[in-house]
Amino acid sequence: MDTEIVKIILAFVVLINPFSALTLFLDSTRGYSMIDRRRFARISSMTVFITITFFTLAGELLLRALGISIGSFQVAGGILVLLIAINMMNGEGNPVKPDQENVEFDDSIETMGSSAAAVVPLAIPMMVGPGGISTVIIYSAQVSDWYQKLAIIIAGLLIAVFCYLALMAAGRLSRILGDTGLNIISRIMGMLLAAVSIEILVSGLRTIFPQLV
């Protein structure tokens, strides 16, 4: 189980990847006080954790309600994650997440305490997109007891903390890494994500075609 949790954390890190949201965070919090910036980052990180927790607990039920087998969902999710990985390795970013340059904010957001922008689009879908959600559902559907589901939730909590720390260090990281550094990180994470996607895809094929084992 320890190895599986490492895989889950690795998948969460490369799929959620808060580094991809640093520019959006800086743009949306420009002119904010440190207190407001921390609040913004905290809301986004909590949203990441809540989303992971929700789909960990309800993901399998959603699949059953829709009549989708876990094997079919694993194959579909594996293909989706592989496409994301290929795009990341090509330096094209995550194709199922919005382009930061095209994200616009409503001026009324400031009057709402910026809570709306912290949730959408920063947390969802900028950090937790379709790839991350499908991966959570796949891993949660593969476990059989509450201890293992709790382990996934704990992994989600660790990723949420990582997101918070990355957002709070956004300005410093952007200056240190620059566009080139962030691009290199994206490509490396893409390679790791490709390996995760193959694991998911192979597992799904084995579930659908047991004779392959």
Side-chain angles (χ1 to χ4, degrees):
M1 183 60 192
D2 292 339
T3 303
E4 289 300 318
I5 290 301
V6 170
K7 285 184 180 179
I8 294 171
I9 293 176
L10 174 62
F12 285 174
V13 167
V14 296
L15 276 167
I16 295 175
N17 188 13
F19 297 111
S20 65
L22 296 184
T23 301
L24 181 59
F25 174 77
L26 291 173
D27 289 342
S28 59
T29 58
R30 184 176 290 111
Y32 283 21
S33 67
M34 182 56 67
I35 293 177
D36 289 336
R37 186 167 293 184
R38 286 175 179 169
R39 180 174 179 273
F40 197 98
R42 186 167 60 250
I43 292 174
S44 294
S45 302
M46 288 177 61
T47 301
V48 169
F49 173 66
I50 291 171
T51 302
I52 292 175
T53 300
F54 173 78
F55 284 102
T56 298
L57 299 177
E60 187 175 4
L61 295 176
L62 291 175
L63 293 182
R64 290 179 181 175
L66 295 173
I68 301 174
S69 69
I70 180 59
S72 298
F73 194 80
Q74 283 176 311
V75 171
I79 293 173
L80 172 62
V81 174
L82 180 59
L83 291 175
I84 293 172
I86 292 173
N87 274 268
M88 291 175 68
M89 285 188 288
N90 288 333
E92 299 174 6
N94 191 329
V96 296
K97 290 185 179 181
D99 186 351
Q100 297 188 45
E101 295 181 356
N102 296 326
V103 175
E104 297 181 358
F105 293 93
D106 191 334
D107 293 337
S108 63
I109 287 178
E110 293 188 6
T111 62
M112 299 168 60
S114 303
S115 298
V119 176
V120 179
L122 186 60
I124 304 172
M126 201 66 225
M127 289 195 288
V128 182
I133 291 174
S134 62
T135 301
V136 172
I137 294 175
I138 289 169
Y139 279 121
S140 65
Q142 288 179 318
V143 300
S144 57
D145 57 58
W146 283 101
Y147 169 76
Q148 293 173 316
K149 287 187 180 294
L150 179 61
I152 297 176
I153 293 174
I154 292 174
L157 177 60
L158 294 176
I159 294 303
V161 172
F162 175 64
C163 289
Y164 175 79
L165 295 176
L167 292 177
M168 289 308 302
R172 188 175 304 172
L173 289 173
S174 295
R175 288 192 298 271
I176 294 174
L177 297 175
D179 292 338
T180 302
L182 292 175
N183 189 34
I184 292 174
I185 290 177
S186 178
R187 289 172 186 266
I188 293 174
M189 288 189 169
M191 294 178 62
L192 296 174
L193 188 58
V196 172
S197 69
I198 296 301
E199 288 280 347
I200 295 174
L201 187 57
V202 170
S203 179
L205 290 174
R206 285 176 175 171
T207 301
I208 297 175
F209 306 106
Q211 63 271 23
L212 293 178
V213 180

